[in-house]
Amino acid sequence: MERLYSVSEARSVLGKIGPTTFYGEVREGRLRTVHIGRRTFVSGTELQSYLERLAQIETGEPDATNPRDVRSSGSGESQRLSEGQAPLLPDAAVWISERAGAR
C-alpha cells in the first residue's frame, strides 16, 4: 500500500513551504491531494512526481505530461519558479524513496 503524507508532512518534505504556497500549488493543479473525510493527504508518488516536475522546470525541460507547462512567447524558455514557490530540493526525492522502501 502506498504511503500518504499529511499536509504538514508534505509541506515539510517540500522544504517546509508555507500553507499558502502549498495550497496555491494544489489550486493551480500542480500538486494533487487525496481527501479522506475532512483530512487532506498527498501520496508519496505525487510528491515524487511533483519534485521531478520542479527539476524539469529548473533545467528548462518542458513537462509534456502537464498542460500548464506553457512556453514563453518567442523565447522558447520554460517558465521558471515564481516568487514564493519552493526551490528544488534534491534530498527530498531521496527521502521519499527511502521512506517508501521502509514501509
Side-chain angles (χ1 to χ4, degrees), residues 1-11 13-14 22 26 30-36 39-53 92-93 95-97 99-100 103:
M1 182 185 298
E2 183 174 6
R3 167 88 154 87
L4 294 177
Y5 294 84
S6 69
V7 170
S8 177
E9 291 172 321
R11 288 178 40 223
V13 168
L14 296 173
F22 177 85
V26 171
R30 292 186 286 256
L31 184 62
R32 291 178 292 221
T33 58
V34 175
H35 298 277
I36 300 175
R39 296 203 54 203
T40 303
F41 299 94
V42 181
S43 71
T45 302
E46 178 60 21
L47 285 172
Q48 182 73 38
S49 297
Y50 178 77
L51 290 170
E52 289 170 2
R53 289 190 299 269
W95 185 85
I96 291 170
S97 296
R99 296 279 300 208
R103 302 260 173 226

Side-chain angles (χ1 to χ4, degrees), residues 4-96:
L4 294 177
Y5 294 84
S6 69
V7 170
S8 177
E9 291 172 321
R11 288 178 40 223
S12 183
V13 168
L14 296 173
K16 297 184 181 179
I17 62 173
T20 303
T21 301
F22 177 85
Y23 286 110
E25 292 296 286
V26 171
R27 185 174 42 261
E28 292 296 320
R30 292 186 286 256
L31 184 62
R32 291 178 292 221
T33 58
V34 175
H35 298 277
I36 300 175
R38 289 198 264 169
R39 296 203 54 203
T40 303
F41 299 94
V42 181
S43 71
T45 302
E46 178 60 21
L47 285 172
Q48 182 73 38
S49 297
Y50 178 77
L51 290 170
E52 289 170 2
R53 289 190 299 269
L54 285 180
Q56 289 174 342
I57 292 170
E58 286 290 315
T59 61
E61 298 174 24
D63 181 5
T65 64
N66 184 356
R68 293 182 181 268
D69 188 6
V70 181
R71 295 288 182 154
S72 303
S73 58
S75 69
E77 291 185 22
S78 292
Q79 293 177 344
R80 300 288 179 199
L81 291 174
S82 62
E83 188 173 329
Q85 286 182 307
L88 175 64
L89 301 172
D91 293 340
V94 172
W95 185 85
I96 291 170

